[in-house]
Amino acid sequence: MRKNVLILQIVVVAVCALMIGFYINNISSYYEILRTDCTLNPCSTLAPAPPTTIEALSVYSLTPDIYSLWFVIMECTFSFLFYLAAFIIFIKSKRDLLGLLAMVALVAYGTTFTSLVYLGSENHSTLARFPEAIAGLGRMAFFLFLLLFPKGQLVPKWTMFVYIPFCMIQFVSFMLPGTSFDLLNWSNTSRLFYYLTMIGVTILSQVFRYKKVSSSLEKQQTKWVVYGAIISLLGSVMISGFFVYPVFANNPVSYLYLSALLYAVVAIIPLTLVLAILRRRLWDIDPLVNRTILYGALSLAIILLYIGIVLYLGSIFKTKDNFMISLFSTGVVAVLFSPLKERLQRLLNRLMKGRHDDPYSVLRELGDHLVQPLSPEEALQEVARTIKSALRLPFVEIFIRVNDEEKMAAIAGDSAKGFDVHSFPIIHGGEELGTMMVSSRSYDEVFSQEDLRLMDVCLRQTGVILQNVKMTWGMQLLAQDLQESRERIIYAREEERLQIRRNLHDDLAPKLLSLAFNVAAAEQYVNKQPDKAVELLGELRGVIRTTVNEIRTMVHDLRPPTLDEFGLLGAIDARINEIRKTAGEKKEQGGAVSVTAPLKICLSAPPQLPELPAAVEVAAYRIITEALVNVVKHAEATECTVRIAVRSGSRLEIEVNDDGKGLPLVIKPSKMGGIGMKSIRERTVELGGHCFFEKSDAGGTKVRAVLPFAGGEEGYENSIN
């Protein structure tokens, strides 16, 4: 692959060097032809200016030698600019096929656009056809470049079936001069149709690529190339019209000025081509197009206005070349210049940037829509559409912040067609309610001050609507949460009922039935076999004790009895004492006896708690119990502190803090059952509270839960240090 690229580079460089060498070789002969033949006498239709006289040149202190030298300098400078652009492209992108094509096209265009090589080689029979070969090669390279630009692929594919015949005709025309195949022998209509077909296909290819295939950066590249081509084409047509205007026939210097202006306009092509190929983040071309259209239309309007006034007044007063008419026309044009410029500028701004300079009309239009019976969501959608239309943006999105999450509330346009995306906060009542995301009109564009002012006004109106949408969504989410809470309560209640039913049906009922059978059997043996009856009654006593223990266990699962006996603080203290006893017990594992490290547990709580709801007491007891069990089983801690406090008389705060090894990176559910961290969080959320599992300052784990409850007194408030 590298070898093929190197060969292609060598071929391209050789061809370009040959064309440049041919151009340089003809400079001296071209100068001699202009100086001796074409300045004072008719020589060829390819001459840069019609013949003049010594007297006409002397008026401007010129001689035939200097006059000819100026044409040579201008044409050489023009060609040098094309060669320089080709050299820059080759240095920066010599491994790119498009770069090599652009290099060939620029060198060929710069070589054959002027009359230098045509006149310079006219007297050499062997080189007379060489300029036509260069021109044909340049046309083929230039059209192929436009068909491939900017990605190096033919889009659409069928354009190749037009390009290949175009190249074949160019080749046959060069190889068979003077025949019917020679393009120079074609009629003007046929030759025009031939070139317009290729130009039309090229334009169609670029339009299709721009709309369907190109990315934002590639669209900017296309804009630069098209801009340079259009300006050069229009400028060439306009300036060429002055060459044939009779007023310039007797003024030789006018041809110097017109030629310089023509070359300057055409030189825009290599400039924009270099920018499009080499620059990765292009300058925004839209303002440049805006100003070009503005001043071009303004200049044309002023010229037409001036000519119209002069012709009209001249026809009325039957005068010719009257100074007063010209002066009056100039004054009218000067007076009308400023308002005409402002109107044209406003029209262009509306076409390219929307109505950012007229926020009042935008707000009035938005107000007309909002007075209609719309829901808050529809009103927000109307705001997005209005902003998109007013500023001519590719898309507008409005996000609303609900429960610390941003959700899309409205969208106008297609986000896939956007360029750079800008974010604007929506603030109402001192609170940031959401965000508006808007796309720039073109790649790397910065919004003007007028754009920002209009968006600021629209954002103020959007804040009120967004507040209504947020309230509506909040009520919907609240209703949804309420419905889900009801469903969870029903599910939990039915699960509890199912569990109690299973315990009663599967465990307690069979045992009670067994007791009835044992009592009946004992009744039969009381008189006949008293000893047997006593034995049965003894077994019956054991079964009754077991049943009573199971009933107590069921009751304990529903609500720990210590809560009723000692209250929440007493129950927690009793549970802590039980854990202290078991925390240092000996354990036998695999024949080895190990003793766990002693665990010091401290309880920090107010002397007395207010009367708490039963649900809060049970949840607090379960949370602290499970947290302590986790400390004993998993934390490998030596100290643990349990803190209980009442905040503001309506919040019970719980904290279990240890100095163990902390939380694992991946928390797995316990195989031994138990409440677990998930259940702790669910118990807290069910009561409207919240909990945290975090690393403590001592390096262990801190479990913190806040349980709200109704009622209470301020005197019970206690701080957690």
Side-chain angles (χ1 to χ4, degrees), residues 6 16-17 62 86 97 161 174 199 206 209 212 218 231 257 269 295 318 397 458 465 497-498 501-502 506 529:
L6 180 60
C16 292
L62 294 176
L97 175 61
F161 297 105
F174 176 75
I199 294 173
Q206 285 296 324
R209 187 193 302 271
K212 302 293 184 180
E218 292 165 354
I231 293 299
Y257 293 146
I269 291 180
Y295 289 106
K318 305 298 182 180
E397 288 180 322
C458 293
I465 303 174
R497 288 180 176 180
L498 179 61
R501 180 184 179 280
R502 287 175 179 173
D506 298 340
Q529 298 180 11

Side-chain angles (χ1 to χ4, degrees), residues 404-420:
D404 295 330
E405 293 183 2
E406 287 196 344
K407 298 182 179 180
M408 188 177 67
I411 182 172
D414 187 2
S415 59
K417 297 180 180 179
F419 297 91
D420 297 333

Side-chain angles (χ1 to χ4, degrees), residues 278-348:
L278 301 184
R279 189 167 170 79
R280 296 307 176 195
R281 289 186 66 86
L282 295 171
W283 292 295
D284 185 16
I285 194 175
D286 292 336
L288 182 61
V289 174
N290 188 340
R291 294 185 181 93
T292 302
I293 296 175
L294 171 64
Y295 289 106
L298 185 62
S299 302
L300 181 62
I302 289 175
I303 293 173
L304 294 177
L305 180 64
Y306 182 83
I307 295 175
I309 294 175
V310 170
L311 293 178
Y312 177 72
L313 295 179
S315 63
I316 291 178
F317 296 104
K318 305 298 182 180
T319 58
K320 184 179 180 182
D321 298 332
N322 190 287
F323 174 75
M324 294 303 298
I325 293 178
S326 299
L327 183 62
F328 177 77
S329 301
T330 304
V332 172
V333 169
V335 171
L336 295 179
F337 177 82
S338 180
L340 184 62
K341 177 180 179 296
E342 291 179 0
R343 288 183 177 273
L344 286 174
Q345 182 69 66
R346 187 179 299 111
L347 178 61
L348 285 174

Side-chain angles (χ1 to χ4, degrees), residues 425-438:
I426 302 175
I427 301 174
H428 179 69
E431 178 185 2
E432 185 174 338
L433 302 179
T435 306
M436 183 175 70
M437 310 293 292
V438 300

